[in-house]
Amino acid sequence: MKSKYLLLIGVAALAMTSCNDYLDVDAPSAYTEDFVFSQKTEVNRALNGVYAQALSSNLYGDAYFTRFTLNSDVDMMISSSNAHQHTTYARFDCDDQGGNIYSFWTAAYNLIEYCNKFIMSAENSPLYDSSDTEFMQWLGEARCLRAMAYHDLVVMFGDVPFTFEPASTKGSDFVIPIADREDIQKAIIEDLQKAAPYMLTANSVTVERCSKEFAHALIARIALTAGGYSLRPNKSDSKSYGTMERPQNWQDYYRTTMQYADSVILSGTHKLAQTYQDVFVNECNYQVINNDDPIFEIPFAKESTGNIGYIQGPTYSAYESETVGPWGATSGNGRLNAFYRFLFRSGDQRREFVNGLWYYSYFTNSEGNLADSVYIRNDYTVHNNKWSKLWTSEGSALGNITTGSTGINYPYMRYADVLLMYAEAANELNGAPTDKAVECLQQVHSRAFEDGDPNFITEAQVSKEAFQKAILDERKWEFAGENSRWRDLVRTNTYAEEVVYSFLRYYSAGMQNVGSMSGYEDAINEHDGYPTDAGYIDNLPERIYYHQYNIDEPIANGLALIFFKDQYYGYTINAAGSVVQRYPNQSLKSLRIYNAYKRAASQPITSQITNFGFSAKAWNRADFYQWGNADNGTPKDQCKYSFYGFIRCDDGGNIWLIRNGAQEQFSSIPQASELPVVRYILPYPNLAIQRSAGAYKNYYGY
């Protein structure tokens, strides 16, 4: 069960005599520093107050996995605007006026300030004793949270203000100086290396607190990021978006990644024993498991913090502020790319679980009573079903008038990530996959397949390049909705290429809808690993048949579903030939969906279905990918403008790449090395620039 300790936001026991104006850092408490850090009970309460800052909706409680998860072939936010906007971060088109940037920036530095104050006070406390296991564990936790915040700021903003000293003690005019990202990464790695030996394992402190394994895993993640590519500014050209570069000593960082990822592996304290689905369904049911995949879960509290499971999962619409079931409304706005489900290998159980093709709403039944119902989702995106309030058991559900503040934990670090980080670093350093790197990849991949999918592992070992691609593919399938995919593509300098193909999938589907071919179909099929004459982009299931059923209705015997397994969405067959139902909610109605992955020209033959044990029901029809604009013969605006800041289409059908703010004609797919950079780096908030009295300046064409 979830830890019962309280994160005391309002009474965090830290003293600040003043606050830095440009950061808007709140003074946490009226308690004196001497009092707080002279009693261990108060020190623990103060640490709870530090954790509380991470739970802010402007930081890890919401913004981290919604507003600042950028568009890719996995995570997706649709836009229909053909004009620049202040806050369109996901499509690489924003500016320093965006209020969300300032809110995130302020929340992140507020967390850092709490960490800095706690660490300084603890190190100067009369209680400080390096042999005091409990006290040193608390100090290590604060260092982990500080490193986590700085790491995410560096990934999102590049070079940022950096200090390990409390800004609030410097006076209201103090401006934290900007530091180079590599200096920041080096400093936080060294700080974690200093803290980790004194920290306890997750079995001792729970994965809701920072542990030794988390400290080591975080070092590995920071080092892998530092050794990879990132967008560097051209400070002599105000219009330049910058260039993608990696440090000359990148191998040193990869050695650090390999060393610290291996230390987590060798500790034996984490494993992948749970099924992929159960990892997240257990989180939705407030189950904390300390020795499996999650290494650190951000510890939200029910009805207080965190929107995980409200944003993800199927939409559940409310009626007069209520829903029929006990779960309350869900927004379902944490979406996935509509083509994501076609990028999986056949038999991957993650595909069936994560890609949500249905949602819930209400209707008035024949008796005049309100009832809920389930509907097909034929939109520009699909739901991310990794988490949902609806996966919570009825007995633990929050109630039918609730919305967010679900208290469902977010797994900021997982063991699957550690295994894949080790595999990537070992492959790069060795020039080919090592036996242990292959074993790490295999552990993650085989969990998603009944037969382990051995062919994938065999093919991955052919070369360094094949293994690197396999790792990136595995991360693509494994971490949907975890703010990972765009970061992986940046680190490996493959973001521009993947954004081009993500755009072309939408563009080509829209063109097919108006009866034209885009001319890019073969290239898309080849890129996605399909035969050019039989790829999904040429054979999208534009017409899908489905019907509604109750979860306890007989489905079919094993033989029937083996016969239909490639045609029905939502089922898998286990090794014993039994049906495995992939819907986590066993109370709400579900949809039986025919041909979700293959073109279906006609509905299934009812007599065949009933002969194999399916109940005879009328089939409903949904038309997918209706994305063409008949007025001008081009795709609809959602296809044209959802990657607006990098690639877009006009009403004349012309495709444009954006290089340093200027449009560049796109008539054929350039080589990856010839593509412009993706401006994923966010600008410093305008208010932060103003309050720095000009010490901060935006680059990257902002």
Side-chain angles (χ1 to χ4, degrees):
M1 299 298 292
K2 290 194 71 171
S3 174
K4 299 297 183 183
Y5 68 83
L6 298 178
L7 299 181
L8 302 172
I9 298 176
V11 292
L14 285 172
M16 289 188 180
T17 57
S18 62
C19 62
N20 184 289
D21 187 49
Y22 94 94
L23 287 178
D24 281 352
V25 175
D26 296 325
S29 171
Y31 290 116
T32 66
E33 178 183 334
D34 289 343
F35 170 77
V36 170
F37 286 89
S38 64
Q39 301 183 57
K40 291 185 73 172
T41 55
E42 293 300 326
V43 174
N44 189 36
R45 291 179 68 238
L47 181 60
N48 289 342
V50 175
Y51 272 94
Q53 308 315 305
L55 312 187
S56 166
S57 62
N58 290 321
L59 194 55
Y60 297 111
D62 189 312
Y64 178 79
F65 50 81
T66 55
R67 294 187 284 273
F68 300 110
T69 297
L70 309 186
N71 283 349
S72 69
D73 51 351
V74 178
D75 306 291
M76 191 73 185
M77 280 183 269
I78 292 296
S79 175
S80 60
S81 173
N82 65 348
H84 163 73
Q85 295 181 322
H86 295 310
T87 58
T88 48
Y89 318 106
R91 66 175 194 165
F92 328 112
D93 174 61
C94 66
D95 58 38
D96 62 6
Q97 303 292 326
N100 298 133
I101 295 179
Y102 183 66
S103 297
F104 184 93
W105 175 278
T106 303
Y109 277 105
N110 202 46
L111 170 58
I112 290 167
E113 181 72 3
Y114 272 67
C115 292
N116 285 344
K117 186 65 177 178
F118 180 92
I119 293 165
M120 182 194 73
S121 300
E123 289 181 332
N124 289 289
S125 166
L127 298 175
Y128 181 84
D129 180 354
S130 61
S131 65
D132 186 329
T133 302
E134 187 176 49
F135 194 89
M136 296 305 291
Q137 166 65 23
W138 294 340
L139 197 52
E141 290 179 52
R143 286 196 163 100
C144 284
L145 293 173
R146 179 170 68 182
M148 185 173 82
Y150 269 130
H151 168 68
D152 289 319
L153 283 167
V154 163
V155 171
M156 295 166 64
F157 294 92
D159 306 332
V160 295
F162 176 71
T163 181
F164 276 169
E165 298 181 14
S168 56
T169 63
K170 299 289 187 177
S172 60
D173 295 330
F174 176 66
V175 175
I176 302 175
I178 301 288
D180 183 274
R181 70 199 67 181
E182 198 169 340
D183 292 335
I184 298 172
Q185 291 160 330
K186 183 174 182 290
I188 57 180
I189 286 172
E190 291 175 350
D191 195 50
L192 290 173
Q193 289 171 329
K194 176 182 176 181
Y198 297 96
M199 297 185 70
L200 300 172
T201 64
N203 283 330
S204 301
V205 296
T206 132
V207 295
E208 292 189 301
R209 303 293 286 250
C210 301
S211 64
K212 177 177 290 188
E213 299 97 325
F214 176 56
H216 286 178
L218 189 54
I219 290 170
R221 178 181 288 178
I222 295 165
L224 191 66
T225 302
Y229 288 86
S230 64
L231 189 58
R232 292 282 186 163
N234 181 350
K235 297 183 179 181
S236 63
D237 183 355
S238 62
K239 295 182 179 180
S240 172
Y241 283 7
T243 56
M244 293 295 290
E245 300 174 12
R246 75 188 310 180
Q248 290 185 344
N249 64 333
W250 65 267
Q251 294 98 332
D252 294 338
Y253 288 112
Y254 274 50
R255 290 187 189 97
T256 300
T257 294
M258 189 172 168
Q259 174 188 348
Y260 281 91
D262 196 33
S263 70
V264 178
I265 296 168
L266 293 175
S267 72
T269 54
H270 291 275
K271 53 185 179 294
L272 301 182
Q274 296 182 89
T275 67
Y276 183 80
Q277 177 170 318
D278 284 348
V279 170
F280 306 102
V281 173
N282 282 337
E283 287 174 339
C284 294
N285 283 278
Y286 308 107
Q287 299 298 312
V288 176
I289 299 174
N290 294 317
N291 62 349
D292 204 80
D293 194 359
I295 291 177
F296 175 56
E297 295 184 350
I298 297 177
F300 298 113
K302 290 174 70 173
E303 300 182 71
S304 175
T305 53
N307 285 334
I308 289 285
Y310 170 71
I311 291 163
Q312 299 86 0
T315 300
Y316 194 176
S317 299
Y319 177 77
E320 294 182 352
S321 301
E322 294 187 7
T323 54
V324 177
W327 295 278
T330 63
S331 73
N333 290 332
R335 301 289 187 87
L336 300 173
N337 193 299
F339 300 97
Y340 178 48
R341 71 184 195 270
F342 298 104
L343 304 182
F344 285 79
R345 291 172 66 87
S346 179
D348 193 325
Q349 297 175 15
R350 293 169 296 196
R351 179 184 75 175
E352 303 301 310
F353 169 51
V354 174
N355 290 273
L357 301 182
W358 77 97
Y359 68 98
Y360 298 95
S361 190
Y362 57 85
F363 73 104
T364 303
N365 61 24
S366 58
E367 288 78 31
N369 298 320
L370 192 66
D372 56 18
S373 189
V374 60
Y375 301 90
I376 197 84
R377 173 65 74 191
N378 55 341
D379 203 347
Y380 294 93
T381 52
V382 301
H383 291 293
N384 176 4
N385 280 356
K386 186 169 280 186
W387 302 276
S388 178
K389 287 169 63 180
L390 307 181
W391 307 163
T392 306
S393 64
E394 293 187 61
S396 300
L398 296 175
N400 65 348
I401 62 171
T402 59
T403 53
S405 298
T406 62
I408 296 170
N409 285 354
Y410 180 80
Y412 184 85
M413 182 70 72
R414 295 200 282 118
Y415 186 55
D417 196 355
V418 171
L419 291 169
L420 294 176
M421 287 192 290
Y422 178 91
E424 181 174 343
N427 181 57
E428 286 292 312
L429 290 171
N430 188 61
T434 63
D435 290 345
K436 186 161 184 175
V438 172
E439 180 187 347
C440 288
L441 174 62
Q442 187 172 23
Q443 282 188 57
V444 180
H445 188 75
S446 63
R447 178 173 63 167
F449 292 83
E450 284 291 336
D451 63 357
D453 194 22
N455 288 341
F456 174 79
I457 303 300
T458 300
E459 294 164 4
Q461 298 179 63
V462 171
S463 66
K464 172 187 172 183
E465 292 73 24
F467 197 74
Q468 172 68 1
K469 182 181 184 303
I471 291 169
L472 280 177
D473 283 344
E474 197 65 44
R475 296 186 68 87
K476 172 175 65 181
W477 303 320
E478 181 75 15
F479 296 112
E482 298 183 51
N483 204 344
S484 174
R485 179 58 172 170
W486 70 269
R487 296 168 179 238
D488 294 338
L489 296 173
V490 166
R491 186 184 72 251
T492 54
N493 199 20
T494 53
Y495 202 11
E497 182 180 15
E498 290 304 330
V499 171
V500 164
Y501 281 98
S502 295
F503 168 84
L504 290 177
R505 294 183 194 105
Y506 278 91
Y507 175 82
S508 295
M511 291 299 293
Q512 289 182 28
N513 187 240
V514 294
S516 300
M517 300 298 286
S518 71
Y520 300 108
E521 287 81 6
D522 285 351
I524 295 168
N525 289 329
E526 183 178 359
H527 178 79
D528 293 346
Y530 290 84
T532 56
D533 59 346
Y536 74 92
I537 202 69
D538 294 308
N539 296 283
L540 288 172
E542 296 175 357
R543 181 170 294 174
I544 292 178
Y545 292 88
Y546 66 96
H547 61 234
Q548 184 182 115
Y549 70 98
N550 292 320
I551 200 75
D552 56 356
E553 286 185 41
I555 300 175
N557 58 48
L559 290 176
L561 277 180
I562 289 172
F563 180 78
F564 288 114
K565 67 180 179 179
D566 290 331
Q567 297 169 308
Y568 282 90
Y569 170 85
Y571 313 108
T572 57
I573 309 299
N574 65 21
S578 301
V579 175
V580 178
Q581 172 59 259
R582 305 312 299 175
Y583 296 99
N585 190 308
Q586 301 297 298
S587 300
L588 293 171
K589 292 181 173 67
S590 297
L591 293 182
R592 184 171 294 131
I593 301 173
Y594 175 75
N595 259 348
Y597 300 102
K598 297 182 179 180
R599 182 180 294 276
S602 59
Q603 70 184 56
I605 301 171
T606 303
S607 61
Q608 286 185 344
I609 304 302
T610 54
N611 288 341
F612 278 103
F614 288 91
S615 56
K617 288 193 173 188
W619 289 91
N620 300 299
R621 190 187 87 184
D623 294 328
F624 275 62
Y625 316 109
Q626 303 302 297
W627 299 345
N629 188 333
D631 293 335
N632 58 22
T634 67
K636 289 185 178 178
D637 290 351
Q638 289 86 342
C639 300
K640 295 176 183 175
Y641 303 128
S642 290
F643 302 93
Y644 183 86
F646 180 76
I647 186 170
R648 57 190 184 235
C649 176
D650 61 28
D651 288 344
N654 302 300
I655 301 176
W656 304 93
L657 282 168
I658 311 304
R659 190 186 300 272
N660 297 330
Q663 292 192 149
E664 192 175 275
Q665 186 78 47
F666 181 101
S667 55
S668 62
I669 303 174
Q671 295 293 317
S673 60
E674 298 173 353
L675 290 168
V677 299
V678 178
R679 187 173 63 166
Y680 70 88
I681 288 280
L682 299 175
Y684 301 151
N686 182 263
L687 281 174
I689 293 174
Q690 290 182 27
R691 293 176 180 180
S692 75
Y696 301 163
K697 181 180 179 181
N698 272 319
Y699 298 99
Y700 310 101
Y702 287 115

